Amino acid sequence: MQGRLSAWLVKHGLIHRSLGFDYQGIETLQIKPEDWHSIAVILYVYGYNYLRSQCAYDVAPGGLLASVYHLTRIEYGVDQPEEVCIKVFAPRRNPRIPSVFWVWKSVDFQERESYDMLGISYDTHPRLKRILMPESWVGWPLRKDYIAPNFYEIQDAH
């Protein structure tokens, strides 16, 4: 089933895939990484002026990684703002997605956290570095195939 935004994107020749609606009725779309930045700018101009949240997850061990964006159209006098969920999938071997920092500045720490926990590189992000883990940390702790270091062995070695 195609939602309102998906129909608008089709009308304007913008490539995407509709993933249906979530349990709250929010339309969910998949955008390819190479199309994400230009579509993000278009969505901002179209009125999605608020990035509610950004997160990322590991789809399956050895599989794709996903970066998820929850956008809202905030308009004066509108009680129920229009929302959309965008999913951008990236390959595990070299997960690169364009940063939307220059569109929605509020994504700054959120993209950094996704980088820190899952290793997704957000191209053109001005400060893409670890935010939760120490800079010396090896690996991406929220990947399903991550093997945590044995801290007892590390302590015994000191």
Side-chain angles (χ1 to χ4, degrees), residues 5-17 30-31 35 38-39 42-43:
L5 181 58
S6 183
W8 187 86
L9 291 171
V10 167
K11 179 181 173 185
H12 290 89
L14 299 166
I15 299 170
H16 69 287
R17 180 175 163 222
Q30 178 182 343
I31 307 291
D35 298 329
S38 58
I39 289 180
I42 290 165
L43 291 175

Side-chain angles (χ1 to χ4, degrees), residues 6-50:
S6 183
W8 187 86
L9 291 171
V10 167
K11 179 181 173 185
H12 290 89
L14 299 166
I15 299 170
H16 69 287
R17 180 175 163 222
S18 177
L19 299 176
F21 298 85
D22 71 7
Y23 71 97
Q24 294 178 312
I26 296 172
E27 186 174 10
T28 304
L29 305 175
Q30 178 182 343
I31 307 291
K32 291 181 181 177
E34 59 268 24
D35 298 329
W36 174 224
H37 189 267
S38 58
I39 289 180
V41 170
I42 290 165
L43 291 175
Y44 184 85
V45 171
Y46 183 68
Y48 286 93
N49 52 4
Y50 179 65

